[in-house]
Every structure is written in structure tokens, then in C-alpha cells.
Amino acid sequence: MTVLRVPGFITAQSPIHHGGDEKAGNQSLIRRQSYIVDNSVIEIPVISGNAIRGILRRMIWDDLLERVGYTLTNMKIYHMLFTGGILEAVDSKDSGLIDIDMKKRLRAELPPLAVLGTALGNQMFEGKLKCAIAQPICSELKDFLPDGLPVQPSTSIYELVSFDFMTRLDDVKEARQEGEAAHQMLMNFEVINPGTIFVHSFALDNPNEVEKAVLARALNLWREHPWVGGKSGVGYGNVKVSYELSDDSAYLNFIENNKEQICTTLNWLETR
């Protein structure tokens, strides 16, 4: 099997708040991954592969629809393309059968589907793309990081993380009852500090030239809109994305030469 490996780096240009599942009082904590270091378990802030994959998925499909001039109207197909879809039970005697011909057709006519995969009805479309967890370059992970780093892993993770806060003020003065106190809310949230560099990589299994260029196009789109995590509307999550893969010409040529067929396939999906 041929595997295209695409290593790279993600550098925080502003604080990153990649929210986790835990809260501590009014504090929102960032996502962490457990690592065993010197026989002890430590929690290291990371950027999940699922978050990065989701960014690329939304950008590549939005770009394709814009280029072919197609507007989706079926919400299930929207979720299939933009969020990875959802498996559903099909009420028929063929509900357990896998439609291989349909899979081959959709993979060939919609290349991002072959790269990113999805689910539709009772059909799973495995994507060729593997997306790693982005790990910060820090002293605690020195034994987990690859060679050729842009900086030495000498800084502790505890120096790369801090807390920020926002205050929401009560501006609705006239609506309050007489004697009612103003309501204000203080939000504390953990952030990864600007300047933190994350090691990251992709792997693409058995790609053809168009599928390789799909990943390149997605990365180019991310370079143009380099954000990750939450609160991007107020400046958080701005990153510098550095990967060597950038030649997306084969994919863009495919779209240009197959606009009509792509629209026909999308319409078939929406009306089947």
C-alpha cells in the first residue's frame, strides 16, 4: 500500500481555546490528552484530529459547491458532506447490504468523499485520510515528538497555558425592576498561549493524483482562513499552518472539467 505522509506544524498566532469536556466552576478548560511520562500520567493540551478534519471537511465542500454553482436543499445530504453524516436503519429487506457500485461511483465523481469519507443511510464510506492529534512542542513530550523540530522541546507545557476571561455587561437598564441588581457574567477560560508550536501530520492511503490534490486544496483553504478552536469571532484561535503539500491543480482541473457531472451526482443524492 502506498501512503502519502504530510507532516507539518501549527503555530498559535493568538490564544487558542480548544474547549474540552470538563469545567471547573465558571472555568472552561481546554482539551487534553493523557500521556505516560516517567511512569506517571500527565494531561497535555492538544488539538484533536477530529477538529482539524472537521475544519478541512467544511472548507473543501463549501469550496466545491461554490465552484460548480450548486446549492444544497436536502439537509441529510448537507450533513453527509459537511459533518460526516449519520448511520440510519433502512426499513427494507436489503437494509444490511452494502451498495459497492454506489460507493465506487460517488468516490470517483466526488473526490473529497474518497478522501474524507462519510455515512449515508446504512452505508459507511471510509475516507483515505488519517489525521493525527496535534501535539505541542514541550519538554514533557520530548520522547513523543519527531526529529527536525523548529524549536527544542525545552519549555514546559505549564508555561504554554494560561487563563483568560471575558465579562458580559448588563446593558438593559430600562427593563430592570426598581431595586433589581444589574446582572453581569464573568467567564474564565483556559487558553494555549500565542507562540506555541504544535507538531501535526496527515497520512493519505493509496491516493491518486486528484485525491492528493484534494488534501492540498483543503490545506490551501486552511492557510487562507487559519483558525481553530472557539471564540474566533473575537480573535482567538488564529494560527499559522505550515505543510509542504500545496499543489492542488489536479483537483481544480477535475472540478473545472466535470462541473456538470458533479452537479448531476449531487442532485441524484438529494433526490434518491
Side-chain angles (χ1 to χ4, degrees), residues 55-74:
I55 291 169
L56 301 190
R57 183 190 296 275
R58 291 188 292 273
M59 286 185 172
I60 200 69
W61 283 115
D62 191 55
D63 180 64
L64 182 142
L65 294 176
E66 182 179 347
R67 287 180 176 275
V68 302
Y70 191 90
T71 301
L72 291 172
T73 59
N74 185 313

Side-chain angles (χ1 to χ4, degrees), residues 17-37:
H17 178 67
H18 181 35
D21 299 324
E22 296 185 15
K23 292 185 179 293
N26 68 333
Q27 296 180 345
S28 179
L29 305 180
I30 51 182
R31 184 173 299 277
R32 283 174 161 78
Q33 175 67 47
S34 298
Y35 289 85
I36 299 177
V37 178

